Amino acid sequence: MLTHLSVKNYALIRHLEIDFKNQFSVITGETGAGKSILMGALDLILGKRADTKVLLDNMQKCVVEGTFTIKNNLLTDFFKRNDIDFEEISILRREITPQGKSRAFINDTPVNLNTLKELGDELVDLHSQHQNLVINDNEFQLLVVDSFAGIVDRVANYRDIHKTCINKQKELVALNEKEKQSLAEKDYLEFILNELTEARLTEDEQDEMEKELALLNHAEEIKSTLYQVAEALGHESTGIVLNLSSLRKQLTKISTFSESFSELNQRLESAYIELSDILSESQKIEETILHDPARIQEITDRLNLIFSLQNKHRVNSTGELLEIKKSIDKKLDDMQSQETAIEKLKREVDVLKSQTSKEAEILSEKRSLIFSELEQRLEGLLHSLGMPDAKFRILKTRLTEPGLNGIDDLQFLFNANKGGELMALSEIASGGEKSRLMLAIKSLLSQKNLLPTIIFDEIDTGVSGAVADKVGHILQQLAHSMQVIAISHLPQIAGKGNHHYLVYKETFENSTFTGIKLLNQEERIIEIAKLLSGQEITSASMESAKHLLKN
């Protein structure tokens, strides 16, 4: 419930403080006094966008504060979700700076505009004249039916399922497209992988084979050289090793005569041993060296295969070829995983489609169940609002597949004239008829969805006399279950209010400002008398005003 409104530096409002009460409050005032300005200020704390044009004084900021009594336990989740301290007496504040910056607060916690609007939508239903156009909208008509049927939460749950299904379908399309591209590459990758696999490459084989090939290609030269080394070292008459053996014996004989002879003998001994070993090794290697054309051809073929693969993949080593093979292996594994993911996603989509269709059918059935009651009750209210021949029907057509709101497309049909053909609201209803139909709808929905506060801005447009009295009666009935505030110019409605506020203009220092005050009983009589007869109050209008206040 809105208990207090404070407005500073907004349009024609310099500084305004007003307390609002429970039940049915009426706001009246002359045309241009600022009733719409007051609603505009209230719009700010309900999340509407604004700019510096709203500032009365361009050097100061605009501040609008609304104090609300919150008794809806369901809203505690909103406060918790947005990390805001919950208070039964909560304050919504909006500030517009001269630089055009907007700041919003809930209980002194800074919030963004969407958060402010989310809470505002839960606290106040602000109905202005332009909202009568909303009644033509299919989305609104669906909301009316769903609210009356009590399935708004179920529709929200259905939308979550439907949204998930749509997103999964988009994901599936993307994966299928990716798979198509992959399939075009898959055969080539498998061919390359087979080629590399069949090659049975090892990390260091290229270097080893190149060395072996060099050895085989120079076998005769190597064999000849080693033979010459062996001949020079081991020839039976002229070999170096044989001669060293003889010298070693002679040095041994004189080594006892001097230490230096002994050292020479040891050195010669070492040289003899080393050269003997070289002789033996050379002979062994020479015996193993063979000119093997078959092996040369085998290695050449193998190296040609490796060089061919390297040229093909533009690399320089078998190690790099093995890395390419590993990369292709991973790509093909990913493709296989992709196929598995697609199959899994297809199953998920099938389940979600089934859930969506099943839930859409349930929503459709629940909507159909209340059509008759909603039509009859709305017609009854329209009859009491001065349209005795009004007919109202709900036309339901079935969509080819479930959409955001289910399988149904709804349209409100209407005709205010006896025997007239039912047609779409947008095609046949006048502004006054839409206004009364909207009032009837809000009257019914208020019993289903109890908002703390509902505000009507000129809901009585296009009505007068007995119809205005009926409008006032409906507003009175609404006020039994919620706070109702109505801006009106009709005395019949003003007389129905539990409380009466007057919006007025005042002049101060050659400037005009808007103000508001709560009227006492005598002031109410005078104000209602003005509504009846204009500024010139007559005794008859005073008596009529008193009479209206008694009813």
Side-chain angles (χ1 to χ4, degrees):
M1 184 181 91
L2 176 64
T3 59
H4 185 80
L5 182 66
S6 170
V7 184
K8 296 178 183 178
N9 197 39
Y10 177 83
L12 294 179
I13 299 174
R14 182 176 58 177
H15 186 190
L16 177 151
E17 302 275 347
I18 187 71
D19 291 320
F20 286 99
K21 300 180 181 297
N22 201 358
Q23 298 180 305
F24 181 24
S25 296
V26 179
I27 299 175
T28 63
E30 294 180 6
T31 300
K35 300 187 295 296
S36 60
I37 292 174
L38 190 64
M39 290 300 99
L42 186 59
D43 263 335
L44 287 183
I45 58 172
L46 299 179
K48 185 179 179 181
R49 298 191 176 277
D51 54 35
T52 54
K53 293 179 182 179
V54 304
L55 301 181
L56 174 64
D57 182 349
N58 290 328
M59 302 300 292
Q60 299 182 39
K61 67 181 177 181
C62 163
V63 181
V64 181
E65 278 191 357
T67 303
F68 294 84
T69 299
I70 300 177
K71 295 182 179 179
N72 186 349
N73 291 331
L74 295 176
L75 289 180
T76 55
D77 178 63
F78 165 86
F79 284 87
K80 184 177 181 180
R81 179 164 29 91
N82 291 284
D83 197 22
I84 302 170
D85 292 335
F86 174 76
E87 301 287 347
E88 284 195 1
I89 306 298
S90 286
I91 297 175
L92 278 61
R93 185 168 84 253
R94 184 82 176 278
E95 298 179 358
I96 310 296
T97 69
Q99 293 76 31
K101 292 183 179 179
S102 170
R103 298 197 300 169
F105 303 85
I106 299 174
N107 294 337
D108 287 328
T109 298
V111 297
N112 60 44
L113 209 55
N114 288 335
T115 304
L116 186 71
K117 184 179 186 303
E118 184 182 349
L119 179 58
D121 288 344
E122 295 291 338
L123 296 176
V124 178
D125 179 5
L126 180 54
H127 179 87
S128 56
Q129 291 185 59
H130 76 273
Q131 278 191 308
N132 289 330
L133 299 175
V134 177
I135 203 170
N136 297 327
D137 184 69
N138 285 88
E139 285 287 327
F140 176 78
Q141 294 176 6
L142 263 168
L143 179 60
V144 169
V145 171
D146 292 342
S147 297
F148 193 78
I151 58 172
V152 172
D153 289 342
R154 187 153 194 164
V155 171
N157 181 64
Y158 163 83
R159 285 179 173 174
D160 288 340
I161 298 172
H162 179 264
K163 183 179 179 181
T164 302
C165 184
I166 294 297
N167 289 338
K168 290 290 184 182
Q169 285 177 301
K170 289 179 180 178
E171 189 179 338
L172 182 59
V173 169
L175 274 179
N176 280 327
E177 186 60 33
K178 188 176 178 181
E179 186 187 34
K180 285 181 183 178
Q181 296 171 359
S182 297
L183 286 174
E185 187 185 13
K186 186 178 180 182
D187 289 343
Y188 174 72
L189 289 176
E190 287 179 339
F191 171 77
I192 295 297
L193 181 64
N194 288 335
E195 190 176 51
L196 290 172
T197 301
E198 288 173 1
R200 294 186 178 88
L201 300 170
T202 59
E203 185 75 28
D204 301 318
E205 69 169 313
Q206 183 179 355
D207 288 341
E208 292 172 356
M209 283 192 296
E210 285 176 343
K211 290 176 182 177
E212 185 182 354
L213 182 62
L215 190 68
L216 288 169
N217 282 332
H218 296 84
E220 293 299 330
E221 178 186 350
I222 294 168
K223 197 174 183 67
S224 174
T225 300
L226 289 174
Y227 176 79
Q228 292 175 27
V229 169
E231 277 295 302
L233 291 174
H235 191 273
E236 59 184 17
S237 59
T238 61
I240 294 172
V241 172
L242 182 63
N243 290 329
L244 280 178
S245 177
S246 176
L247 291 173
R248 185 169 56 90
K249 290 177 181 179
Q250 293 179 37
L251 273 176
T252 301
K253 293 178 180 179
I254 65 172
S255 61
T256 58
F257 300 131
S258 172
E259 184 68 30
S260 59
F261 299 158
S262 178
E263 289 178 1
L264 286 173
N265 186 43
Q266 289 175 4
R267 290 170 66 188
L268 189 61
E269 177 73 18
S270 296
Y272 174 78
I273 293 171
E274 182 65 21
L275 289 173
S276 295
D277 187 60
I278 291 173
L279 171 60
S280 175
E281 191 69 23
S282 298
Q283 290 172 335
K284 287 179 182 178
I285 295 173
E286 189 270 337
E287 290 175 0
T288 62
I289 299 297
L290 297 172
H291 178 66
D292 188 348
R295 179 59 180 163
I296 290 173
Q297 188 61 49
E298 181 184 345
I299 294 174
T300 301
D301 291 344
R302 180 67 175 168
L303 286 174
N304 285 340
L305 171 63
I306 292 173
F307 292 147
S308 173
L309 291 173
Q310 288 174 351
N311 288 332
K312 184 174 186 177
H313 296 284
R314 297 181 181 180
V315 295
N316 299 309
S317 68
T318 52
E320 289 173 295
L321 288 174
L322 288 170
E323 283 298 318
I324 291 172
K325 178 178 178 294
K326 184 178 178 182
S327 174
I328 293 173
D329 264 327
K330 186 177 184 307
K331 281 185 179 180
L332 289 171
D333 283 344
D334 288 345
M335 288 180 186
Q336 184 60 46
S337 298
Q338 187 173 286
E339 292 173 5
T340 304
I342 287 173
E343 290 303 317
K344 181 183 177 184
L345 196 54
K346 281 180 179 177
R347 291 193 294 270
E348 289 180 17
V349 168
D350 288 341
V351 170
L352 286 167
K353 279 185 174 181
S354 177
Q355 288 178 343
T356 301
S357 296
K358 182 179 178 180
E359 192 62 25
E361 294 295 343
I362 293 172
L363 291 178
S364 181
E365 183 180 349
K366 288 184 177 296
R367 286 166 178 156
S368 297
L369 288 174
I370 57 91
F371 282 176
S372 179
E373 181 186 358
L374 179 57
E375 291 166 351
Q376 291 175 20
R377 292 183 67 175
L378 280 176
E379 281 185 357
L381 286 169
L382 291 173
H383 295 168
S384 68
L385 289 171
M387 292 186 282
D389 298 315
K391 294 292 182 185
F392 177 86
R393 292 291 182 273
I394 302 169
L395 175 64
K396 183 177 82 168
T397 54
R398 189 178 178 86
L399 300 173
T400 54
E401 61 180 32
L404 183 62
N405 297 302
I407 201 71
D408 301 324
D409 182 32
L410 302 185
Q411 188 175 41
F412 286 177
L413 304 181
F414 175 80
N415 198 300
N417 302 315
K418 190 172 184 177
E421 180 185 356
L422 287 164
M423 298 175 65
L425 275 173
S426 58
E427 299 175 6
I428 194 169
S430 67
E433 289 165 347
K434 288 177 184 176
S435 179
R436 280 176 274 179
L437 179 55
M438 181 63 89
L439 176 59
I441 288 171
K442 297 239 174 178
S443 173
L444 288 181
L445 294 188
S446 68
Q447 301 167 29
K448 299 284 184 178
N449 307 293
L450 294 180
L451 281 169
T453 300
I454 186 167
I455 300 175
F456 292 100
D457 184 6
E458 305 288 357
I459 190 66
D460 48 25
T461 299
V463 301
S464 60
V467 175
D469 188 70
K470 292 291 186 181
V471 171
H473 180 71
I474 289 175
L475 296 178
Q476 274 186 324
Q477 293 299 312
L478 282 174
H480 290 160
S481 56
M482 65 176 64
Q483 180 188 40
V484 177
I485 300 172
I487 296 175
S488 179
H489 63 278
L490 295 179
Q492 294 90 341
I493 292 177
K496 291 284 195 296
N498 301 102
H499 318 286
H500 190 156
Y501 298 85
L502 176 67
V503 176
Y504 60 91
K505 283 183 178 180
E506 61 180 350
T507 302
F508 180 77
E509 295 180 353
N510 297 320
S511 296
T512 301
F513 304 104
T514 290
I516 186 171
K517 65 177 181 178
L518 177 64
L519 302 181
N520 59 33
Q521 188 69 8
E522 290 302 316
E523 290 170 330
R524 288 192 71 180
I525 293 172
I526 294 171
E527 181 60 26
I528 292 173
K530 287 181 182 179
L531 293 174
L532 287 164
S533 62
Q535 289 299 318
E536 186 179 342
I537 300 174
T538 65
S539 58
S541 64
M542 288 289 285
E543 287 302 316
S544 295
K546 292 176 183 178
H547 178 73
L548 287 174
L549 284 170
K550 289 179 181 179
N551 292 333

